[in-house]
Amino acid sequence: MKRIDRTGQQFGNILILKELGGGKVLGRCLLCGKEKEFIKSNVVGGLTTSCGCQHPGKRKDITGMRFGRLVAIRPIDKKPGKSMNWECKCDCGNTCVVNLDSLTSGDRTSCGCKETESRTRLIDKKHYQGTNVETIRSTKANVNNKLGVRGVYLKKNRYVAYISFKGQQITLGSFVTLEEAKKARARAEEKYFKPILEEAYEEGVIDSLEPKKK
């Protein structure tokens, strides 16, 4: 799944200035000129159309609208000088009260459960979909690998390529030359590792798609 760069594109009243990774972008509100971070999917999907300055002082009915994991239920009386607060239902089952500006700008997309899950994933050795994404990002060969090439070993004067994925070791073939074995391993990484790494990057589990050399 290739990530689409939206830099320079306009959605509603938001001009995307830069891709920030982790599902976020830097954008400029064309109504007031304010620059800030936005949730990319909310901007592209039309849920967020400004920085929150749109229609100041006017009550906006967002009943039933979805903002990430939150669905707006009903408005709550606002405090003087502030925009309306809304009671929202989160996909996890919790309810919470969120300021309208925080919803429309993409600052709040859950009751807090999403952030908790992200922290848990980070603590759990970067596991994502049953895979340690930090391990598969690494280019370092196993300490017992005499060739110094990850996923390749020598057996009876032939180079055997393999890949370990989700608890299984997959043999990729036996080759006459080391270069052939390395190419087989590279193709397997594209097939098995790349999709998981791209999804983990989009979810913010890892901060880069660049291979780790250590």
Side-chain angles (χ1 to χ4, degrees):
M1 181 180 65
K2 186 176 181 181
R3 183 162 61 96
I4 301 175
D5 189 344
R6 300 290 187 178
T7 301
Q9 296 184 24
Q10 180 180 340
F11 298 88
N13 295 302
I14 298 173
L15 175 65
I16 295 180
L17 302 176
K18 183 180 180 182
E19 293 274 353
L20 299 177
K24 292 189 176 183
V25 294
L26 176 66
R28 177 185 297 126
C29 177
L30 300 180
L31 293 176
C32 66
K34 182 178 181 180
E35 294 183 6
K36 61 175 294 182
E37 290 185 7
F38 294 90
I39 303 297
K40 181 178 179 180
S41 59
N42 287 353
V43 174
V44 175
L47 291 178
T48 303
T49 58
S50 74
C51 69
C53 66
Q54 195 172 21
H55 307 306
K58 181 180 179 180
R59 175 179 289 194
K60 184 177 181 180
D61 187 3
I62 59 171
T63 303
M65 290 182 63
R66 175 174 288 276
F67 301 88
R69 297 185 180 185
L70 297 174
V71 175
I73 300 174
R74 63 187 181 91
I76 306 295
D77 289 341
K78 68 176 182 178
K79 295 180 180 180
K82 295 186 177 181
S83 64
M84 184 67 66
N85 291 324
W86 280 78
E87 181 181 353
C88 300
K89 182 72 174 291
C90 185
D91 287 348
C92 72
N94 290 332
T95 58
C96 57
V97 175
V98 184
N99 184 266
L100 174 62
D101 288 348
S102 296
L103 289 172
T104 57
S105 66
D107 286 342
R108 283 288 300 275
T109 58
S110 76
C111 67
C113 62
K114 184 176 181 180
E115 291 75 13
T116 300
E117 290 171 7
S118 295
R119 287 193 296 269
T120 300
R121 285 197 296 265
L122 291 173
I123 294 171
D124 189 25
K125 297 181 180 180
K126 300 287 186 179
H127 275 81
Y128 181 76
Q129 293 190 12
T131 301
N132 189 320
V133 289
E134 290 292 9
T135 297
I136 66 175
R137 275 180 65 200
S138 175
T139 59
K140 185 178 180 181
N142 187 287
V143 292
N144 297 320
N145 189 313
K146 296 180 180 180
L147 296 175
V149 179
R150 192 176 184 213
V152 179
Y153 63 89
L154 188 62
K155 182 179 181 181
K156 295 181 180 180
N157 295 321
R158 292 182 68 89
Y159 297 94
V160 180
Y162 70 94
I163 193 167
S164 297
F165 185 64
K166 292 189 175 182
Q168 294 185 339
Q169 181 169 304
I170 304 168
T171 301
L172 306 172
S174 176
F175 304 90
V176 175
T177 67
L178 177 60
E179 191 62 31
E180 289 176 311
K182 289 168 65 176
K183 288 180 179 179
R185 167 70 189 206
R187 289 193 297 269
E189 289 184 2
E190 283 283 317
K191 177 180 178 180
Y192 294 104
F193 290 174
K194 187 177 180 180
I196 291 290
L197 289 173
E198 288 181 342
E199 289 183 23
Y201 177 67
E202 286 293 328
E203 290 290 329
V205 178
I206 54 176
D207 56 9
S208 173
L209 290 174
E210 292 297 318
K212 291 187 67 176
K213 296 182 180 180
K214 294 183 179 181

